[in-house]
Amino acid sequence: MPLDTRARPVVPSVGLQLQLDSQGRVLQISGPVRHSLAHPLSGSTARHLSEYLVPGSRLAVEGPPSEWHGHSLDLDFTGLGATTLHLRGWAQPAEDGWLLQLLDIGDLLQERQQAQTRDTCQALAARCSEQLRLCSLTRLPQVLREQLQDLAQHWRIPCVAIALLDEAQQDWRIHSHYHAHDAPRLWHTDQSLGTGLDSLDGSRPHVLHGVQSAGLDPRLRDIFAHAEGLLVPYRDAQGIGAWLLCGFYPAVQPAPALGERDWLLLLAALAGPLLGRLREQQQQQQLQRLDALQGLLGSGWWELHEGVQLAPQLARNLHLEHAHLPLSEWLAVFHPVDRAELQSRLQDLLQCDRPLLLSVRLQARDECQAPVWYRLQGQMLQLGEQRRPVGFMLDISDIKNQQQQAAAAHARLDNLIASSPAVIYVQRYEEGALQPCFFSDSLLPLLGWQLSELTETSLIERIHPDDRDLYFVRTRQLLREGSVRARYRMRDRAGDYHWLLDEARLLRNDLGLPVEAVGLWLDDTEATLATEQVRQSEERYRILVEDSPAMICRYRPDLTLTFANRPLAKYLEYPPEQLPGVDLGSWLSAEQRAAFLLRIQQLTPEFPVSTAEISLQLPGREHAWWVWSDRGVFDDQGQLLEVQAVGRDNTEVRRSQQQLMQSAKMATLGEMATGLAHEINQPLNVMRMAVANMLKRLSNGDVAADYLQDKLSRIDTQVQRAARVVDHMRVFGRRSEIEQQPFNPTQAVEGTLALLAEGMRGKGVELRIHHLDIEVQVRGHVDQLEQVLINLLVNARDALLSKREVQQAFEPWITLRAEADTRAVRLWVEDNGGGIDPRLLERIFEPFFTTKPVGVGTGLGLSVSYGIVQNMGGQLSVHNAEQGACFCIELPIVPPT
Ligand code: ADP
């Protein structure tokens, strides 16, 4: 609805005449203005003139009319509809009172007011526009708000806002606004107003009021539903550029001081510079953005105009000092390889308008760096009358280098595929079937076929008949599960079959439907054959192990068996399949087991083998001896994982050894026979003499009981002595215990002396015994050590006696000494028989070496003794002392447990 500045009742300015009485009461009213008065003349009582006036102008007519006479009166009457009628006139006496003549001066006043308003308005507009034009862009929003505030406060508008089109030029939005502190919020910054404003006439302001705004866009209608308002457009060359929105502002009543033109002027002063500044801001931002982008991309424009003009950023990127330079200098920037082509293309552009598009390299600044590539684009630009070649340069080094790398990688991959022993293939999915559509070049050397010869059906024909089902299963699984791994045989052109390891994967499209299968064939014929060979060799090895007469087993470090061959199982009388898991130590005595474990613990990766003789205990069977060889198997850290062992039954050999030992013992006994005879004869002689003496006394009849008792006890002593010798001989003659035992070596010395001492003395050999009170333990068999000592004493005796045969006066002796330290005990047997010929010293321990006449010496004594001492972990040695041979038995001491 247009703003109607003529909404006031139109009154022809002929005036108003009032008849007054002397008191100033209105008696009659005439003149055309009377129709505009709020209070028409009342019939009954006349009212005073002041009651017709608006309160402000009543002062002028106080008192009777005679008092106002001669004054010009400016009176404001209350008009219809709360309007004010401005009238000017004077009072003059009439016949029966006074006549008040008044003329309407409303128009006059209004014009003056409007002129004033316009002045203010122009001043405001000028100030506003100047502020907006001169402020910095950063202060622009703030200054705009201040101008809106000025405007609002000046014209008492509670809410005011300026709406601009958004960047897309489609939607009106509140750009800035102001509202008085007590006014309700009608809008907020950036609020969208839609396109409703476009339907309004853009050449004049619009008053809005509730119902009248019914035809508007709903968004505008919502805003002005409860508020009177005013919408003022701003139009420039481009069309309507802004709207000023005033809310809660009664633009009609009372008639606003501002006219349509004033409003348009005011808004033009505001919106004109504002839009200009915003455009400036936008341009600046765009330039900044462009600059940043060019910097980022290493790109920029160029133009051929009196040489070459380059974007400053581009000139910097090209390391040029100036952005404006001669063409030749610009061309020198490029690599010679591309320069000529660029020059010719520029000619084409200049002469034939042919657009330019070229990738060029820059002249290398550093040989080691990757080349810098630019894409150069250009075209002819028509600028009015002028035509100028302009263009753009873009750094495409990244792309170019990536392209080159990709090409190199591609070539490498092609090469790899072609030279790989695997065949890479692609099968296209066609209605449920997989149709071969690609094979790598390695197909030909491998199978001799080409792609055209391997269609789906011919491929299946070339698969080994026994393996075709495998292939069908493979295809079904591939389609169902998306990947598969299979092995089957395929015939080559020569008719030979190859074992192919097939690994394939199914590729699907976005909808999950199969597109193709990609896979590879690996010829693993050789691997298959090798596996077969390994299997066969394992089988041979297994047979070898199983059928070997040797007993073979594997066991863990805790002696749990993991494998045992048949001979071992048979020997142990165990079902072979039950042996794994059984403790090998269960066939060993506690001592043997401890020694066995100790030996296994000493295996190392450097010395993984150990051999020993072990004895097994097989309940109810004879004692068994095995020669047992262990080899440790270690992990990377040198930790023992398992032991592989080979055993051989050594019981027979052992038994022979024992028999030999026994024979040697018997021989010793035989050799001692003379001594022993003496040993037994001695008590017999004593007894015989005692018996003869007793018999003699008995025949004389003088037998005292004391005498008899004395003789009989003497006989008893001798009987005991003989019994002791015989007993010991029996013990000595027994077979040795099977396992070694700890014992005190002096025990063996005592046993020896029991057998030999008397005989020695009888032969006139002096026995010198020293330091035999030691308390240590050695490990072995006491009878065997005794046998060694007997051998040494008998040999010494023989040497002594044969020397005495030559020298009658010779006094033979044998010394027996013992000494011990923490580690070993040593028994010395020394004689004064003249010793052993130094040339024979090395040989006397050999079996069957003897210097004695045939039938006397066996040559076994020392060799058996040597073996016995060695078996006990000791050493038997000899040297020639001052007067004769000196033998030393050294034995390790067993620490007391
Ligand atoms: P046999 O006593 O049967 O000869 P042995 O092996 O016991 O066999 O001794 C081998 C040889 O060593 C003897 O024949 C002897 O020559 C020599 N022999 C051993 N002991 C002595 C000794 N105490 N003095 C001198 N020679 C000895």
Side-chain angles (χ1 to χ4, degrees), residues 482-539:
S483 69
V484 75
R485 194 183 155 96
R487 273 178 86 246
Y488 45 82
R489 279 161 290 179
M490 167 106 60
R491 199 174 68 239
D492 64 11
R493 187 177 284 283
D496 294 328
Y497 278 101
H498 294 250
W499 274 104
L500 296 183
L501 183 68
D502 180 1
E503 283 203 37
R505 202 166 259 283
L506 191 68
L507 305 182
R508 296 173 188 276
N509 64 12
D510 295 349
L511 303 172
L513 299 173
V515 179
E516 59 185 25
V518 181
L520 56 85
W521 279 337
L522 202 67
D523 184 356
D524 79 342
T525 313
E526 276 178 28
T528 309
L529 290 179
T531 313
E532 178 62 16
Q533 272 170 1
V534 168
R535 202 189 58 72
Q536 282 175 3
S537 101
E538 267 180 3
E539 178 62 16

Side-chain angles (χ1 to χ4, degrees), residues 627-648:
V627 174
W628 190 258
S629 185
D630 293 295
R631 168 178 274 276
V633 178
F634 299 88
D635 66 10
D636 294 345
Q637 278 82 47
Q639 191 76 30
L640 181 65
L641 295 177
E642 196 186 57
V643 182
Q644 296 182 339
V646 181
R648 175 170 53 78

Side-chain angles (χ1 to χ4, degrees), residues 594-865:
F596 195 101
L597 281 171
L598 188 70
R599 203 167 49 79
I600 296 304
Q601 279 162 17
Q602 283 162 355
L603 296 180
T604 60
E606 291 77 30
F607 302 101
V609 180
S610 147
T611 304
E613 190 175 49
I614 61 168
S615 76
L616 295 192
Q617 291 175 329
L618 299 161
R621 288 163 64 192
E622 79 171 323
H623 209 89
W625 288 96
W626 287 7
V627 174
W628 190 258
S629 185
D630 293 295
R631 168 178 274 276
V633 178
F634 299 88
D635 66 10
D636 294 345
Q637 278 82 47
Q639 191 76 30
L640 181 65
L641 295 177
E642 196 186 57
V643 182
Q644 296 182 339
V646 181
R648 175 170 53 78
D649 185 2
N650 202 37
T651 314
E652 277 305 312
V653 178
R654 252 288 159 143
R655 199 177 291 148
S656 323
Q657 273 177 355
Q658 276 176 342
Q659 267 167 2
L660 182 68
M661 203 100 76
Q662 193 60 22
S663 320
K665 233 196 262 185
M666 287 308 165
T668 309
L669 274 181
E671 277 181 47
M672 294 190 321
T674 26
L676 284 172
H678 181 83
E679 204 76 9
I680 294 170
N681 262 343
Q682 193 65 21
L684 285 178
N685 278 337
V686 175
M687 284 189 284
R688 198 175 56 229
M689 275 170 66
V691 170
N693 286 342
M694 279 195 297
L695 286 173
K696 203 171 175 185
R697 286 272 185 117
L698 278 172
S699 62
N700 290 348
D702 101 55
V703 186
D706 288 0
Y707 178 80
L708 270 182
Q709 202 167 12
D710 175 45
K711 288 297 170 194
L712 284 175
S713 71
R714 213 183 244 202
I715 290 170
D716 184 44
T717 311
Q718 295 308 314
V719 168
Q720 277 179 25
R721 184 177 156 196
R724 237 188 359 254
V725 173
V726 173
D727 264 3
H728 194 80
M729 274 172 66
R730 222 177 36 228
V731 170
F732 179 71
R734 243 188 248 152
R735 283 168 177 271
S736 303
E737 290 278 328
I738 283 172
E739 287 197 29
Q740 296 188 329
Q741 305 288 340
F743 66 93
N744 188 338
T746 54
Q747 233 180 301
V749 178
E750 278 159 19
T752 308
L753 292 178
L755 284 178
L756 294 182
E758 277 307 315
M760 290 286 184
R761 257 176 239 128
K763 296 270 181 194
V765 177
E766 184 194 351
L767 279 177
R768 300 175 178 175
I769 313 295
H770 299 293
H771 310 300
L772 284 178
D773 49 351
I774 45 177
E775 287 295 333
V776 291
Q777 300 261 299
V778 296
R779 186 184 293 282
H781 306 284
V782 66
D783 58 317
Q784 289 183 357
L785 181 59
E786 204 171 298
Q787 188 187 352
V788 174
L789 286 166
I790 291 171
N791 282 337
L792 297 182
L793 286 173
V794 167
N795 278 345
R797 183 200 66 191
D798 289 351
L800 290 170
L801 293 185
S802 56
K803 186 175 176 186
R804 202 174 52 185
E805 272 177 23
V806 185
Q807 299 176 22
Q808 295 290 321
F810 174 59
E811 290 177 4
W813 52 257
I814 301 173
T815 306
L816 239 165
R817 264 183 303 128
E819 66 170 42
D821 57 26
T822 50
R823 210 174 46 77
V825 56
R826 276 172 289 276
L827 302 174
W828 305 90
V829 179
E830 189 181 341
D831 60 58
N832 61 345
I836 305 162
D837 185 336
R839 287 167 301 177
L840 302 180
L841 262 181
E842 282 181 13
R843 298 194 53 203
I844 56 164
F845 293 110
E846 287 175 13
F848 307 113
F849 176 84
T850 180
T851 56
K852 294 171 190 170
V854 183
V856 178
T858 58
L860 282 176
L862 284 181
S863 94
V864 166
S865 301

